[in-house]
């Protein structure tokens, strides 16, 4: 089960970044096996989850429905990924893929650290957050920290 958390803030409109992010998102979902589950959350100042209560199986029908929604999405407003990331964590996926091109409140790192730690007492494992710093080098530090703190991988994409 994978949850994709994708930046839909106004800065993503520059140089076709949002179109490229949507294309890569759909390409990733289309590569999933039909017995795998996924969920997509766009964010700017708020979280905008896909129309489902939980991750869905990667069937042709589900992918087609999500592709239509993804292609209708627009990017605007500021950058606050925390609500989207907390929603993603609440779904307890196997991994989260988090893409951002912008700077955001560093408190996000502290909140994620506190909310995504393994707890032996209740058998809760840490969820890896794989981060993609998109186009803007200024994002690398905070995104690398989020990945490192969660045993995820970090990648910078030009």
């Amino acid at each position: 089960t994978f949850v994709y958390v994708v930046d839909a803030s106004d800065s993503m409109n520059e140089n076709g970044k949002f179109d490229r992010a949507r294309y890569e998102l759909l390409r990733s979902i289309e590569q999933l096996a039909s017995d795998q589950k996924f969920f997509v959350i766009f964010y700017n100042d708020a979280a905008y989850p896909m129309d489902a209560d939980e991750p869905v199986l990667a069937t042709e029908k589900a992918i087609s429905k999500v592709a239509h929604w993804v292609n209708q999405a627009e990017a605007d407003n500021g950058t606050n990924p925390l609500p989207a990331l907390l929603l993603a964590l609440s779904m307890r996926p196997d991994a989260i893929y988090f893409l951002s091109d912008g700077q955001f409140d560093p408190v996000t790192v502290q909140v994620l650290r506190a909310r995504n730690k393994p707890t032996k007492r209740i058998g809760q494992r840490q969820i890896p957050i794989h981060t993609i710093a998109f186009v803007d080098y200024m994002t690398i530090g905070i995104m690398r920290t989020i990945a490192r703190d969660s045993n995820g991988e970090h990648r910078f994409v030009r």
Side-chain angles (χ1 to χ4, degrees):
T1 302
F2 305 104
V3 177
Y4 298 88
V5 178
V6 180
D7 193 337
S9 64
D10 192 48
S11 62
M12 289 292 288
N13 287 315
E14 299 165 5
N15 303 315
K17 288 188 280 188
F18 193 57
D19 289 337
R20 195 165 141 222
R22 289 187 296 189
Y23 172 81
E24 293 298 337
L25 167 65
L26 291 173
R27 201 174 84 153
S28 177
I29 291 168
E30 289 167 353
Q31 292 176 4
L32 296 175
S34 60
D35 63 343
Q36 292 178 302
K37 292 183 178 184
F38 73 95
F39 196 87
V40 178
I41 308 166
F42 284 116
Y43 70 90
N44 51 30
D45 292 330
Y48 299 95
M50 62 186 248
D51 187 20
D53 295 329
E54 60 188 15
V56 298
L57 284 170
T59 63
E60 252 183 75
K61 183 178 179 182
I63 291 170
S64 177
K65 182 179 177 183
V66 168
H68 179 74
W69 174 71
V70 166
N71 287 323
Q72 300 299 314
E74 295 183 15
D76 61 8
N77 296 322
T79 307
N80 179 11
L82 188 56
L85 288 165
L86 292 177
L87 175 58
L89 285 172
S90 75
M91 295 181 182
R92 306 299 307 155
D94 295 311
I96 295 169
Y97 290 89
F98 170 39
L99 179 143
S100 183
D101 80 325
Q103 296 179 330
F104 48 86
D105 191 336
V107 168
T108 300
V109 173
Q110 296 164 354
V111 173
L112 290 176
R113 213 176 268 149
R115 297 274 183 98
N116 188 27
K117 59 183 174 187
T119 310
K120 288 182 182 172
R121 185 171 43 92
I122 59 173
Q124 185 169 298
R125 64 176 173 70
Q126 185 176 48
I127 298 167
I129 303 173
H130 303 295
T131 60
I132 301 122
F134 200 56
V135 180
D136 188 342
Y137 288 101
M138 299 297 286
T139 310
I140 290 175
I142 196 167
M143 296 295 273
R144 185 178 286 138
T145 300
I146 290 169
R148 185 183 57 235
D149 286 353
S150 67
N151 290 312
E153 294 180 10
H154 169 74
R155 178 169 290 146
F156 176 76
V157 177
R158 285 198 176 105

